[in-house]
Amino acid sequence: MLQQIFKILWNNGRHNLWILLESVVIAIVSWAVLDPIFVLKYNQSIPNGYEADGLYRLEMSRNNADTVSVPMEDYTRIMARLRSYKDIEGTTCVLSGAYPSSPGNSMSEVFKDTTRVRMTYIPFFTHSGFFRTWHFLSAKDGTWETLEGLDIPKGDVVITEDAASMLFDTKYPTGQSIYSTYDSSEIHIAGVMQPIKMRNSMQPYMVRLVSLGDESQMPDWAFGYGVRIFFRTKAGVSEGRFMEEFMPWIDDNLSSGSLVFSTLVPFREVQRASDVQKGVTNEIRMKYALAYFFMINLLLAVSGTFWLHTRTRREEIGIRLSYEASPGGICRMLIGEAFVMTTVAVLIGCFLYFQWAYYEGFYVLSDRVPGNDDLYLTNHFLAHFCIVSLAVYVVMLAVTWLGVYIPARNISRISPVEALRDE
């Protein structure tokens, strides 16, 4: 049958050429539309490296009217009360604006031998419940308890395994050292954790957690900008009930002294605000809206073209039926022709798009913060190209089949006399 299909397509070459050219253009546009969807979906499928559910951000502001209270004493009192609250599992303080989904990032470069890596760094206090609160996971056994139990001296770091794989030959370089490009100071590695997504819809950055010692070593400058506290509620505590009970508790416990309550938000809202600020939300909405709009038009255009093309062959089908061709055979022949034309169109369209992508690259959603690109599928050119090309092919086949099967099925079941009545 395949030989017969090629012969029919060749004999109707002029008409089929226009359909082929239209399909090639649609295949190229499909590539441009589906590529961002693939990247966005893939990025969203990458684990965050921490658990956002049950996590809250509590901000305390400096009360300049209070000149009597000692900020460090008030801070110690606040943390003790939060840690003793019945629904709270873990509480920690994060200095500066460096944490997942924060408005900005603190970055510096480190090196090992001749390899240099630019990394985001997050300061933390050892044995402060930092890992219990964030649920950052150990690269070795996938638990936060392992990292929480480490005794990390001031200045030592925990790095993400994506950075470790670039700097060392081993995945777990615990006990080894890296060096700061700023002053060549030695930095000891106390542990390795799983990659962290600093932006909710982007790929993980390379991160190092820098120990500031214990909480008694809180720098004085930290209180001048207020205090940013993160805490995690216990499993099974609903957000609605917790907020209803916790807000009155704040009024009674965090409304006086040198540090007073400012804001409290669930971390999901922090993530959403970060996506809006970085333009990610609008970017995602625009890409999805464009994809939906295009798919509707693709369905109408391709299906309509093949539908009309099939309907115009009514007389030809009548002749074939008069020579005792079976309805099933005719239906398979028409679908086979559409299959061949779609396959050729997608091959040509993807080849043409390959030329553009090779020089310009694929769609990328990032804020130009470096990560270990080798770890993620979308950064491998051939794999990325093949996956999106396959998606384009499947979509094109689906809409083509829809445009051919229904009229082909109807035409193949009419009588030869009816089909040839107007001939």
Side-chain angles (χ1 to χ4, degrees):
M1 175 176 283
L2 189 60
Q3 184 178 2
Q4 183 183 12
I5 288 174
F6 280 113
K7 185 176 180 180
I8 294 172
L9 291 174
W10 181 261
N11 291 335
N12 294 282
R14 179 175 296 181
H15 183 69
N16 290 332
L17 179 61
W18 287 109
I19 297 177
L20 180 65
L21 292 175
E22 177 186 343
S23 299
V24 168
V25 172
I26 291 175
I28 294 173
V29 177
S30 298
W31 229 107
V33 171
L34 292 179
D35 184 36
I37 301 302
F38 168 62
V39 173
L40 292 172
K41 286 293 186 182
Y42 180 83
N43 287 353
Q44 291 169 355
S45 71
I46 300 173
N48 285 336
Y50 63 91
E51 188 177 342
D53 292 333
L55 190 62
Y56 294 79
R57 187 185 68 186
L58 172 66
E59 294 183 306
M60 307 291 295
S61 60
R62 186 74 165 86
N63 183 10
N64 295 321
D66 187 323
T67 58
V68 178
S69 302
V70 179
M72 187 62 198
E73 293 179 357
D74 286 341
Y75 170 77
T76 303
R77 170 181 56 84
I78 290 169
M79 296 301 284
R81 290 182 178 179
L82 287 171
R83 286 165 178 156
S84 64
Y85 189 82
K86 62 183 180 67
D87 288 331
I88 291 180
E89 174 187 313
T91 305
T92 194
C93 176
V94 175
L95 298 185
S96 73
Y99 54 89
S101 295
S102 61
N105 285 296
S106 299
M107 305 198 71
S108 65
E109 195 174 66
V110 299
F111 70 92
K112 173 67 175 177
D113 299 328
T114 59
T115 304
R116 292 174 177 260
V117 172
R118 190 162 170 251
M119 301 176 69
T120 295
Y121 63 88
I122 302 175
F124 74 102
F125 294 104
T126 302
H127 300 312
S128 68
F130 181 80
F131 296 100
R132 178 186 298 274
T133 301
W134 280 99
H135 282 191
F136 292 143
L137 305 177
S138 168
K140 184 167 289 188
D141 59 15
T143 66
W144 60 263
E145 289 89 349
T146 298
L147 298 175
E148 187 66 43
L150 294 175
D151 187 15
I152 306 175
K154 184 176 181 179
D156 283 12
V157 299
V158 176
I159 66 174
T160 49
E161 61 179 333
D162 48 2
S165 65
M166 292 192 69
L167 290 164
F168 298 91
D169 294 331
T170 174
K171 294 177 64 176
Y172 311 113
T174 303
Q176 300 193 47
S177 299
I178 53 179
Y179 300 87
S180 170
T181 57
Y182 176 71
D183 56 7
S184 297
S185 59
E186 186 177 11
I187 304 170
H188 294 282
I189 298 174
V192 182
M193 62 182 177
Q194 294 180 6
I196 299 173
K197 287 172 69 173
M198 295 294 287
R199 296 283 174 253
N200 197 34
S201 297
M202 299 179 188
Q203 295 177 1
Y205 304 164
M206 289 181 286
V207 178
R208 74 178 191 270
L209 309 180
V210 183
S211 173
L212 300 177
D214 58 47
E215 286 184 312
S216 64
Q217 297 174 290
M218 172 80 75
D220 293 334
W221 59 261
F223 300 115
Y225 298 96
V227 175
R228 189 176 290 108
I229 298 170
F230 288 85
F231 63 83
R232 177 176 300 282
T233 55
K234 295 177 181 178
V237 177
S238 69
E239 180 181 311
R241 181 183 70 79
F242 174 77
M243 294 291 283
E244 183 179 353
E245 296 179 357
F246 190 65
M247 293 306 293
W249 183 90
I250 288 178
D251 293 335
D252 295 336
N253 292 272
L254 306 181
S255 59
S256 62
S258 59
L259 299 171
V260 294
F261 169 73
S262 177
T263 61
L264 172 67
V265 292
F267 193 72
R268 291 292 185 188
E269 294 185 16
V270 177
Q271 290 178 318
R272 283 194 288 269
S274 173
D275 287 344
V276 170
Q277 180 195 33
K278 296 297 180 181
V280 174
T281 300
N282 289 336
E283 178 83 359
I284 292 174
R285 288 174 178 171
M286 182 183 70
K287 296 302 181 185
Y288 278 116
L290 180 63
Y292 294 145
F293 175 78
F294 173 75
M295 287 305 163
I296 292 174
N297 284 275
L298 173 66
L299 178 65
L300 295 175
V302 177
S303 296
T305 297
F306 279 95
W307 186 298
L308 292 174
H309 176 63
T310 304
R311 293 287 297 178
T312 57
R313 301 175 64 184
R314 181 185 179 97
E315 290 79 12
E316 175 192 340
I317 300 305
I319 295 173
R320 291 182 179 274
L321 289 171
S322 67
Y323 283 94
E324 298 184 349
S326 68
I330 291 175
C331 195
R332 287 192 295 272
M333 180 193 69
L334 294 173
I335 293 175
E337 291 177 19
F339 171 82
V340 170
M341 280 198 291
T342 301
T343 301
V344 173
V346 170
L347 288 174
I348 296 173
C350 290
F351 174 77
L352 294 175
Y353 198 90
F354 181 91
Q355 312 306 311
W356 185 90
Y358 184 78
Y359 293 101
E360 298 295 330
F362 299 117
Y363 173 82
V364 176
L365 179 64
S366 71
D367 51 3
R368 298 183 180 180
V369 178
N372 191 339
D373 292 344
D374 291 341
L375 298 178
Y376 305 104
L377 183 64
T378 54
N379 303 318
H380 293 269
F381 185 89
L382 288 179
H384 187 144
F385 179 80
C386 290
I387 290 173
V388 179
S389 296
L390 180 61
V392 170
Y393 184 48
V394 170
V395 170
M396 290 284 288
L397 279 182
V399 296
T400 300
W401 179 86
L402 184 64
V404 173
Y405 177 73
I406 297 176
R409 185 175 181 275
N410 292 336
I411 292 175
S412 64
R413 281 162 172 75
I414 62 176
S415 67
V417 174
E418 184 180 352
L420 296 171
R421 183 174 54 190
D422 300 325
E423 184 65 17

